[in-house]
Amino acid sequence: MPMPPAFRYRDVLTRGRNAHPLSDGFFAKHPPMPVSRWAKIFAPFDALSGFDEAISSKEVAYTARRTPDADAAAELNRRLAILSRLAASGRLARRSRALVEVTAFVPCADPNHAAFGRGGRYECFAGTLLRLDPEISRSLTLCTDGKPVTIFFDDILRIESDSGIFDSDWQEQSLRPVSL
């Protein structure tokens, strides 16, 4: 950016830094500071602590909640019924060790964001199915990285599995219907 012609401090900027000879006493007592240390010195005087985190949280793109169409909801119900059969009890869930990947809606948790209470984002949770409760809490619990994550049925958009548990021929009469 060019310097404006009427800039007040034009002469100071064009003059540059004072040059001291190496034999000067001032230079011996006050050597020039490397630029890499400037930020370290002035960091405690940051008047807006948390400003960078607030700005970066505004850059997160949130979307509105999507509802699956009738065919996707029917397939999701079928997959939840299969998972319900695999996790009918805690012992059965531990024995089956069903690895699933759930895409679910996570609401915006930042109260200072415009999307708070209205939007969120879709996240993918991959892990082992621990528990599925279709009646009371209407949620499923996955173990991801050693931590349990509970996902409610209303937030689920998609359930996938690489192990092929949804591709096998399950007896339709043995599946308990689970509705979203």
Side-chain angles (χ1 to χ4, degrees):
M1 181 168 125
M3 192 179 313
F7 186 60
R8 257 173 95 169
Y9 301 104
R10 180 191 262 309
D11 60 330
V12 173
L13 284 175
T14 55
R15 188 175 23 188
R17 177 182 273 187
N18 290 339
H20 292 281
L22 296 177
S23 61
D24 187 10
F26 180 83
F27 184 78
K29 288 183 181 179
H30 307 285
M33 180 186 299
V35 177
S36 61
R37 290 197 53 219
W38 288 3
K40 184 177 180 182
I41 288 176
F42 296 109
F45 302 105
D46 186 12
L48 300 173
S49 61
F51 181 72
D52 293 335
E53 291 84 13
I55 293 297
S56 65
S57 71
K58 300 295 182 202
E59 295 173 356
V60 176
Y62 291 104
T63 61
R65 184 187 302 258
R66 296 182 299 214
T67 56
D69 60 350
D71 293 335
E75 177 62 22
L76 191 57
N77 284 336
R78 185 184 78 81
R79 291 178 181 216
L80 283 171
I82 291 170
L83 291 178
S84 175
R85 183 170 182 215
L86 289 173
S89 67
R91 180 178 292 168
L92 187 60
R94 284 190 299 277
R95 193 176 334 138
S96 67
R97 298 189 54 91
L99 295 172
V100 293
E101 186 175 297
V102 178
T103 304
F105 183 77
V106 178
C108 174
D110 183 10
N112 298 321
H113 199 281
F116 183 70
R118 293 185 293 186
R121 59 185 176 172
Y122 282 92
E123 291 186 18
C124 192
F125 300 97
T128 306
L129 180 68
L130 294 178
R131 171 172 55 246
L132 191 133
D133 183 15
E135 284 95 25
I136 299 171
S137 67
R138 300 181 40 76
S139 64
L140 61 88
T141 304
L142 298 176
C143 180
T144 60
D145 298 328
K147 297 179 285 189
V149 175
T150 302
I151 304 167
F152 295 101
F153 288 172
D154 295 337
D155 296 335
I156 298 174
L157 181 67
R158 188 173 39 251
I159 300 175
E160 303 289 330
S161 177
D162 291 338
S163 61
I165 57 174
F166 300 125
D167 300 333
S168 61
D169 288 334
W170 292 89
Q171 298 294 329
E172 293 298 326
Q173 64 270 14
S174 67
L175 294 179
R176 291 182 292 167
V178 177
S179 62
L180 289 177

